[in-house]
Amino acid sequence: MSESRETVSSKDTEEVIMEATFRALSKHGYTDLRMRDIGEEMDLTRQVIHYHFDGKYDLLSAFLEYVIDQYEGSVEVDETDDPRAELDARIDQCLFGPEFEEFGHWERMKVYHELYTHAQNDGDHREIFDEHYDRVRGSIVDVVEDGIEQGVFEPVDAERMGQLITDVIHAARGRRMALGHTDAPEEARAAIDDFVLSSLYADD
Amino acid sequence: MSESRETVSSKDTEEVIMEATFRALSKHGYTDLRMRDIGEEMDLTRQVIHYHFDGKYDLLSAFLEYVIDQYEGSVEVDETDDPRAELDARIDQCLFGPEFEEFGHWERMKVYHELYTHAQNDGDHREIFDEHYDRVRGSIVDVVEDGIEQGVFEPVDAERMGQLITDVIHAARGRRMALGHTDAPEEARAAIDDFVLSSLYADD
């Protein structure tokens, strides 16, 4: 952090706090996280956290939206006229992740999945995740539907396939992190190709 | 709990503690769980916990093994000569769960998935989950291989298919709990039938 205490704007300050939260969560995990751990990860005084956020829960809710916005904003897939290429690109982005500057995809995913599991106890977080999940699944369903419309894909149940692919992606990422299966995303990609997408390309 | 403090054996006591841990975890979640919450869920004095377990971590490790043993011990699938029926039964058991006396499948799964996510910070728990995961996946791979050997199934990559099915099951259960998608297991079952198992039954 190079910002001096005098010159940071409110927006910058929030970003500084969010990135400090990231580092603190990566180190301590959700369970053991204390506000002071976040304070220790930034150059600003800890009081600015209390100025911007109404306690740990409020901060973590804002953080969850920040992580999801950042993730969704960084997905770069050209909407081409080739549904097959677009579908492949979308699956790869979800499985292997876009690159970020300071922290990699997996550090971000680790925090994401931890908050996801905790959402079962938390209506607000659940809603944020649910909307994100809908957008991810929707982007896969859309391209499958486009392909069917163009006659490039076989006429499958696009909703059902989009859901299946989204579930496989989520499980493979979770398995890589929780169980340390580093090949999980590659395995999932191969399994999606062999057993799921094959239904789209019946003539191949 | 009807056991009196005088008559319970050591094994019974551990079971009483385990079931109290279950109730406490269901109420408070992993993050906020304190030893005293477990004590409040049982008729025995809290001291017996400290007598049997060396702190919260030791207790939660024992608890994890208890939950997994109970889950695996309750899966009842006849190993028949019909790989198709056995595969269906195994998938259904994993998705919809065997029935338990006091707590249902989903209450148990909720605790299981919460501990699963925390395993990323914990080598011991990771190993316990990893071995369990291997057994579940292995039981699906075995029946697919049996079917291929008998000429009932098409010759697919059984390892890859077993992994894919295990991932889908895990994701659907997680989604039901974290996001409240109550239909997730049914959706997953339909998607597995339509898009995954269809590769086994090429002639249908």
Side-chain angles (χ1 to χ4, degrees):
Chain A
M1 299 289 116
S2 59
E3 293 90 340
S4 82
R5 292 189 190 179
E6 290 73 29
T7 57
V8 272
S9 72
S10 177
K11 190 171 168 296
D12 287 344
T13 306
E14 288 198 13
E15 188 160 345
V16 169
I17 297 171
M18 293 292 106
E19 290 297 313
T21 305
F22 226 128
R23 285 189 293 276
L25 274 170
S26 297
K27 273 189 199 167
H28 304 280
Y30 183 92
T31 312
D32 300 318
L33 188 75
R34 298 159 308 175
M35 293 295 259
R36 86 166 70 151
D37 299 322
I38 299 167
E40 278 168 15
E41 295 294 332
M42 52 186 220
D43 280 345
L44 305 174
T45 69
R46 184 140 64 96
Q47 278 66 39
V48 300
I49 303 178
H50 297 287
Y51 177 77
H52 283 270
F53 300 100
D54 190 16
K56 180 175 158 183
Y57 182 79
D58 185 39
L59 188 150
L60 285 174
S61 300
F63 177 73
L64 180 54
E65 301 215 40
Y66 173 79
V67 174
I68 287 176
D69 281 354
Q70 200 178 42
Y71 177 75
E72 292 184 6
S74 64
V75 171
E76 283 174 18
V77 174
D78 295 333
E79 294 196 18
T80 65
D81 287 336
D82 180 357
R84 192 163 176 161
E86 188 186 330
L87 182 58
D88 280 340
R90 288 202 180 276
I91 293 170
D92 282 346
Q93 285 262 346
C94 290
L95 272 174
F96 305 107
E99 275 310 307
F100 292 100
E101 274 175 34
E102 194 181 352
F103 277 86
H105 177 62
W106 294 107
E107 275 131 335
R108 294 192 183 260
M109 280 294 120
K110 185 182 160 186
V111 169
Y112 175 93
H113 276 250
E114 199 165 4
L115 291 169
Y116 179 85
T117 301
H118 282 287
Q120 66 189 359
N121 305 314
D122 186 318
D124 291 345
H125 286 189
R126 177 180 276 199
E127 205 179 312
I128 299 170
F129 272 113
D130 209 19
E131 288 168 1
H132 168 61
Y133 209 94
D134 264 358
R135 288 189 293 271
V136 171
R137 182 184 48 211
S139 71
I140 293 175
V141 171
D142 284 350
V143 61
V144 171
E145 282 176 345
D146 282 354
I148 294 170
E149 224 162 88
Q150 293 180 32
V152 183
F153 293 158
E154 294 293 306
V156 301
D157 182 332
E159 287 284 342
R160 181 167 289 169
M161 182 178 279
Q163 184 62 67
L164 179 70
I165 292 172
T166 313
D167 278 351
V168 175
I169 289 168
H170 191 92
R173 289 192 316 212
R175 193 155 57 81
R176 184 186 196 278
M177 290 178 292
L179 302 183
H181 295 177
T182 45
D183 292 340
E186 285 80 6
E187 286 169 11
R189 178 71 233 207
I192 289 171
D193 282 336
D194 281 10
F195 298 120
V196 184
L197 299 188
S198 55
S199 304
L200 294 178
Y201 314 128
D203 297 340
D204 288 13
Chain B
M1 298 288 118
S2 60
E3 293 90 342
S4 82
R5 293 188 188 179
E6 291 72 31
T7 56
V8 274
S9 72
S10 176
K11 190 172 166 295
D12 287 342
T13 306
E14 288 197 13
E15 189 160 346
V16 169
I17 298 171
M18 293 292 104
E19 291 297 312
T21 305
F22 225 127
R23 286 189 291 276
L25 274 169
S26 296
K27 274 189 199 168
H28 304 281
Y30 182 94
T31 312
D32 300 316
L33 188 74
R34 298 159 309 172
M35 293 295 258
R36 85 165 70 150
D37 298 322
I38 299 167
E40 278 167 16
E41 295 295 332
M42 53 187 219
D43 280 344
L44 304 173
T45 69
R46 183 140 64 98
Q47 279 65 40
V48 301
I49 303 178
H50 298 286
Y51 177 79
H52 283 270
F53 299 101
D54 191 16
K56 180 176 159 183
Y57 182 78
D58 186 38
L59 188 151
L60 284 174
S61 300
F63 178 73
L64 181 55
E65 302 215 40
Y66 173 81
V67 174
I68 287 177
D69 281 354
Q70 200 178 42
Y71 177 76
E72 292 185 6
S74 63
V75 172
E76 283 174 18
V77 174
D78 296 334
E79 293 197 16
T80 66
D81 287 336
D82 181 357
R84 191 162 175 165
E86 188 186 330
L87 183 56
D88 280 340
R90 287 201 181 279
I91 293 169
D92 282 345
Q93 285 263 345
C94 290
L95 272 174
F96 305 106
E99 275 310 306
F100 292 101
E101 273 173 37
E102 194 180 354
F103 276 87
H105 178 61
W106 293 109
E107 274 131 335
R108 293 189 185 263
M109 281 293 120
K110 182 181 163 190
V111 169
Y112 175 94
H113 276 251
E114 198 164 5
L115 291 169
Y116 179 85
T117 301
H118 282 287
Q120 66 188 359
N121 305 314
D122 186 320
D124 291 345
H125 287 190
R126 177 180 277 199
E127 206 179 310
I128 299 170
F129 272 113
D130 208 20
E131 288 169 2
H132 168 62
Y133 209 94
D134 264 357
R135 289 188 294 271
V136 172
R137 181 183 48 211
S139 71
I140 293 175
V141 171
D142 285 350
V143 62
V144 172
E145 282 177 344
D146 282 354
I148 294 170
E149 225 163 87
Q150 293 180 32
V152 183
F153 293 159
E154 294 293 305
V156 300
D157 182 330
E159 287 284 344
R160 182 167 289 169
M161 182 177 280
Q163 184 62 68
L164 179 70
I165 292 172
T166 314
D167 279 351
V168 175
I169 289 168
H170 191 92
R173 290 192 315 212
R175 192 155 57 80
R176 184 187 196 278
M177 292 178 290
L179 303 184
H181 295 177
T182 46
D183 293 340
E186 284 80 7
E187 286 170 11
R189 177 71 232 207
I192 289 172
D193 282 336
D194 282 9
F195 298 120
V196 184
L197 299 188
S198 55
S199 305
L200 295 178
Y201 314 128
D203 296 341
D204 288 12

